[in-house]
Amino acid sequence: MPLQEKAQIMDAEGIRRALTRISHEILEKNKGTQDLVLIGIRRRGVPLAQRIAAKIKEIEGTAVPLGMLDITLYRDDLSKLGYHPVLRKTEVPFSITDKKVVLVDDVLYTGRTVRAALDALMDLGRPQLIQLAVLVDRGHRELPIRADFVGKNVPTSRREIISVYLQEVDRIDKVVIDEPIV
Amino acid sequence: MKLKRKDVLGLQDLSAEEINLILDTAEPMKEILAREIKKVPTLRGRSVITLFYEPSTRTRTSFELAAKYLSADTASISVAASSVQKGESLRDTAKTIEVMGADVIIIRHSVSGAPHFLARTVNARVINAGDGAHEHPTQALLDMFTIKEKKGRFAGLKVAILGDITHSRVARSNIWGLTKLGAEVRVVGPPTLMPPFIQDLGVKVFYRCEEGLEDVDVINVLRIQLERQQKGLFPSIREYTRLFGLDEKKLRYAKPDVLVLHPGPVNRGIEISPEVQDGPHAAINEQVTNGVAVRMALLYLLMSGGEVNEIAS
Amino acid sequence: MKLLLKGGSVVDPLKERVLRLDVLVEEGKIAALAPQIEAPDAEIISIDERLVCPGFVDMHCHLREPGEEFKETILTGTRAAGRGGFTAVVCMGNTKPPADSRAVIEFMKRQVETAPVPVYPVGCATKERKGEELAEIGDLAEAGAIALSDDGNSIMSSEVMRRVLEYSRIFDLLVISHCEDRNLSGNGVMHEGFMSTLLGLRGIPRAAEEVHVARDLILAEMTGARLHIAHVSSAGSVQLIREAKSRGVRVTAEVAPHHLCLTDAAVQTFDTNTKVNPPLRTKHDIEALCAGLRDGTIDVIATDHAPHTAEEKEVEFNYAPFGISGLETAVPLMWEYLVTRGVLSPVELVQKMAFNPARILGLPERVIEVGKQAHLTVIDPHLKLPVRVKDFVSLGKNSPFDGWELQGWPVLIIVSGEAIYAERTGAGEKGD
């Protein structure tokens, strides 16, 4: 499906500011870094979680534990896909039991990825609480899920596609709205 | 990337790309095995049946755990070899299992080609868990996964397969897999246990350990079936152990960091000495763990990603 | 009853030529041969450029009766023979009970009375085909056994084989030998070679056949008996027979169509219809067998028709019985693989499938001459059809050739002056 870029909604500076704000909000809501852990959802949730962790270190001077979660095996659409999503390792090298877990992802859309991530987390332990941080919330939820920390709310139509580009993966920082060429 | 096939019957049929996909997928599966809760919901509602015409607690348990860790339902059927020709035919047994709703049938059989016959007969997917002296694809995959973990590559590696090559499905599957990924494979054993034209599979043949094991990176030691001696294929267990049993002396022909594998169960002190089996070079127990991971990867790749023949993205 | 075969080409295996001739058949005999015959009172069969050959003889088939009528009966087997273009068949004595007594041979002879095609039974060489004690060969000969053989049970004792050959001389009976050293073949299920290594199936080495061929040739030479080597499959056997013939040993030999058309590569799918004994060998062996056919080392092409049920064949490879249902594919296979590819001329094919087997067995001579018995096979050399196993009249559907498109089918046989059509005369079947 060929795509064309419709509009850029965030640039590098916008992403940086959004993450800085989210980092402050996380610290405020959790009253510091006590028991706090960050877990990024593969793939682009991981660099976002790393940036938030770095920001928190800058603000508070403490390093929060950082994990990476691959939710492929928890997806509810595996039998419908015509291909195998690339399976990557889940790397959470610490116990999440009784921790305050902040899940980090790039885009919140139907909520199904977050549902899968919640199930995956439950299999790793019993956290004290789980919060959700996303760079973009584009609406159209199919499950009763909401984000605790949002970089930007973007009203979209279903046929539009939100593409997040990050330096670590894509060599550029930006968020754009694409739409299929008809 | 997708495993574009209904069944996995042997490594002869798999491309290097497919083998790599399975090995890569086995890595995250191995991480699940290290968790406290060793279960993911991936294959919820799917059923996996093991149909074993040959006793093998090890392989069957490995497949069943792999399926269970992925949340599939499992059942096992064992058919005593003695009752095969009197009892229900494989065809009828398989049809029965299929109408009970099996998505995957994992078959072990003493006759080469039985899984191929089964795959033609049923619509369920079929995985070969060892057929006669033909193939044992998951064993070779777990051997290769272990080699990859320890050595990090296949290209240029010298791998010796030592023992009864004629009757070994493990040898054949390893030869297919390893040569496809660029390793140099040698087979070492007495001529009476060496099948004709094996060199045409792209391997070098050696009848003596001092030549065959020279400078190798990996030695895969095959189990010797003791009844072969009665059939006159070698003079005595004692002589076999002396000439082909892997002991510390023969290990010195190989590279200093040689990796020693054995598909198990081991005839302790016969094809491999206790010192080598329990020594620093052997990875025999890790092979067992890796076997579960590899089988999880295979089940996942076969059973997710839509129906066969659906258009891939 | 008169039959006039008009417009065909008549194959003469003796003078080695093909002539455009009409053939008049009267009272079971050839009554006239001429380029243009008019016979107003005869039933006219338009042959229209097809080949009129002396009647084909299959000197090696298994009709399973008595004892295994679920696989084949004398009636279904002879109907299959007729459809396959054969005007006579020789059936092996590996029945249940085996044809080691006068009673079994006489039973077969009685069953044959209703068969469309004459059947000549082979008596066993030893009691119960055990290879231990001689059967009552005199009794068998008197009852009508055409030859002696223990069929698939090769006689392992060289001493017993010697005595069989010696004793056969009383009646100058042909001894047909299935050459297999069963110690060497063991539990093998296919040719021993690269393919068996690849598939992990137990192999049967060429040596298993060749050791017995060599032994039997030496014993035939020693005893002066008439030896016929059944289904030669290996290059080495061809060479051994060639050498023996040049020394004057009284030996003849046959090859089966499947050994000329298939190699062990066909086993790769584990299709049990490729499981046959002796096993399918290699391209090298096929070349040697063809050379043997051309230089006369191999006298005969015989089907080794071995019908089995689907239930018996639809099992794991090792558990399936050996054998191919071959009567209904032999002629087109040989036409396609030998004649159209220039290995044999049509005349030579007729020698291998009609003239030679009849001569070796002492059957009515297979030549088309005035006064001879009218056993004829008509072949349409241009008819191209796929093999359709489901249309076999044999009960055995076990053929690896299903779906093969072949050219050169038999369309009609005449047995003792009576016409039997092969129900595939073209048109209607061609298109569907």
Side-chain angles (χ1 to χ4, degrees), chain C residues 179 205-215 234-238 240 285:
Chain C
C179 290
R206 291 189 185 89
E209 175 175 313
E210 290 160 5
V211 163
H212 260 216
V213 169
R215 181 200 74 171
S234 91
S237 299
V238 176
L240 287 164
D285 296 286

Side-chain angles (χ1 to χ4, degrees), chain B residues 133-155:
Chain B
H134 182 224
E135 284 233 41
H136 192 348
T138 56
Q139 177 68 44
L141 287 166
L142 77 88
D143 292 344
M144 293 172 73
F145 183 82
T146 311
I147 292 171
K148 193 182 163 197
E149 265 193 340
K150 301 283 176 187
K151 300 287 176 191
R153 69 193 162 102
F154 293 103

Side-chain angles (χ1 to χ4, degrees), chain C residues 260 290 293 301 334-344:
Chain C
L260 295 166
C290 287
L293 277 169
I301 296 165
M334 294 299 86
W335 191 274
E336 175 94 30
Y337 275 78
L338 300 182
V339 178
T340 67
R341 297 186 186 188
V343 177
L344 297 182

Side-chain angles (χ1 to χ4, degrees), chain C residues 97-282:
Chain C
D100 64 351
S101 69
R102 177 189 283 270
V104 176
I105 298 288
E106 284 176 348
F107 168 82
M108 289 176 173
K109 286 281 191 186
R110 269 200 307 281
Q111 295 303 102
V112 164
E113 284 165 18
T114 56
V117 163
V119 177
Y120 300 94
V122 173
C124 300
T126 69
K127 290 190 180 114
E128 293 175 59
R129 302 169 58 231
K130 281 184 173 167
E132 291 164 2
E133 300 167 48
L134 296 188
E136 290 178 330
I137 290 170
D139 238 19
L140 294 174
E142 243 173 69
I146 191 102
L148 297 172
S149 181
D150 277 358
D151 194 49
N153 289 5
S154 53
I155 296 171
M156 283 297 285
S157 158
S158 304
E159 161 68 8
V160 172
M161 188 63 183
R162 170 198 173 163
R163 300 305 178 199
V164 166
L165 287 163
E166 280 180 340
Y167 198 82
S168 73
R169 296 202 60 190
I170 307 174
F171 316 96
D172 204 28
L173 266 181
L174 185 70
V175 176
I176 302 175
S177 178
H178 166 113
C179 290
E180 177 185 355
D181 182 323
R182 281 181 276 140
N183 292 327
L184 278 173
S185 57
N187 298 322
V189 295
M190 68 175 295
H191 172 65
E192 179 179 304
F194 175 67
M195 270 296 156
S196 64
T197 290
L198 194 77
L199 301 176
L201 288 169
R202 264 296 271 284
I204 301 173
R206 291 189 185 89
E209 175 175 313
E210 290 160 5
V211 163
H212 260 216
V213 169
R215 181 200 74 171
D216 289 355
L217 290 170
I218 290 165
L219 293 174
E221 188 166 20
M222 168 189 175
T223 58
R226 292 172 60 213
L227 174 69
H228 178 78
I229 310 284
H231 43 54
V232 174
S233 74
S234 91
S237 299
V238 176
Q239 185 54 26
L240 287 164
I241 295 163
R242 183 177 289 127
E243 286 163 10
K245 281 192 163 183
S246 73
R247 295 199 300 273
V249 179
R250 295 174 80 198
V251 61
T252 52
E254 78 190 26
V255 61
H258 44 264
H259 288 126
L260 295 166
C261 309
L262 288 171
T263 66
D264 57 350
V267 184
Q268 213 167 358
T269 57
F270 296 101
D271 176 0
T272 54
N273 288 324
T274 64
K275 183 175 171 183
V276 61
N277 188 15
L280 302 173
R281 303 226 187 247
T282 66

